[in-house]
Amino acid sequence: AFENSKEFGWTVVRIKNRMRKPTGGGWADVLLNLTKNDDNHKFICELQLVHKKMLVTREELGGHDAYDDFRTAGEFLELVQEKTEAGVAADLERQLAEARKNRDGKKCKELKGLIEKVKALDAEIKRLTAAETAAFDDDDFDEGDRLHGELEARKAELVELTAKAAGGDAVDAPVVEKVSVKAKPSA
């Protein structure tokens, strides 16, 4: 039981209400991050409040397996995107080094501009991602939606820039059409 006693009770340090806004995989719960008042280290534990029907779906009807597949595929696609963007920046740096070696000032200027744009967009995407997450975590859904739209626009710009750096256009950019990933069974 939660007591208000400073000596024996618990303090709620964070509440994440995913009943109002379920995850992308459809999961809905309420998470409470707590500390025990008499714990000098202030170890944070999590209490998950789940509707019985959600728990049955997850535990008895294989819902968690589908969620694992969904989450694993999503994480894989994020990794592919990060590696692609990092590879483009590295390739541009190599091209810049070659242009410097060949004393091609026009090419150096063009590549330097592309590198700066890629880095600036990458930094902006990271900033917007953090701000979007914070907005939704704080139940500021209007701001979260606004930030999501801005984030998608910056990602589209990065795709265009990445394709341009590769010498094509966005239509030529590599696309992962279908990914089939099997997650490890959960314990």
Side-chain angles (χ1 to χ4, degrees):
F2 286 87
E3 296 179 18
N4 248 351
S5 161
K6 185 173 184 167
E7 187 178 338
F8 298 108
W10 293 82
T11 299
V12 177
V13 294
R14 179 177 175 219
I15 299 173
K16 189 170 187 178
N17 186 348
R18 295 189 299 200
M19 289 291 191
R20 286 189 194 156
K21 173 108 174 102
T23 67
W27 182 253
D29 61 6
V30 176
L31 302 176
L32 300 174
N33 295 126
L34 312 161
T35 58
K36 185 108 169 82
N37 290 342
D38 62 353
D39 177 10
N40 293 331
H41 300 289
K42 296 298 177 200
F43 178 79
I44 297 175
C45 63
E46 182 175 272
L47 176 64
Q48 184 180 31
L49 305 174
V50 182
H51 192 282
K52 184 177 182 177
K53 289 180 181 178
M54 290 293 292
L55 189 60
V56 167
T57 299
R58 181 172 73 180
E59 299 297 324
E60 295 177 18
L61 301 177
H64 198 67
D65 295 337
Y67 170 74
D68 280 344
D69 290 349
F70 172 82
R71 186 168 180 179
T72 302
E75 289 171 356
F76 173 75
L77 290 175
E78 286 176 14
L79 181 62
V80 167
Q81 182 180 2
E82 286 175 16
K83 294 294 184 191
T84 300
E85 291 163 8
V88 167
D91 186 53
L92 289 172
E93 294 284 357
R94 282 190 295 277
Q95 289 179 42
L96 178 59
E98 185 68 25
R100 281 185 174 144
K101 186 174 136 185
N102 294 333
R103 302 292 189 230
D104 186 345
K106 183 178 177 183
K107 187 73 170 171
C108 286
K109 191 174 181 179
E110 177 188 337
L111 290 166
K112 189 75 171 163
L114 278 173
I115 291 167
E116 288 172 4
K117 285 179 184 177
V118 167
K119 288 181 178 179
L121 274 173
D122 185 53
E124 180 68 1
I125 287 168
K126 287 177 180 164
R127 184 193 68 77
L128 287 169
T129 299
E132 176 195 34
T133 299
F136 278 106
D137 286 350
D138 293 340
D139 293 343
D140 188 351
F141 304 121
D142 291 334
E143 179 67 1
D145 284 342
R146 185 191 71 74
L147 289 166
H148 182 75
E150 196 174 331
L151 179 60
E152 291 304 309
R154 294 298 87 70
K155 287 179 178 179
E157 285 179 44
L158 187 58
V159 167
E160 288 286 335
L161 196 58
T162 300
K164 182 179 178 186
D169 57 33
V171 176
D172 297 329
V175 176
V176 177
E177 291 184 13
K178 185 175 181 183
V179 177
S180 178
V181 178
K182 199 66 177 160
K184 290 185 204 176
S186 56

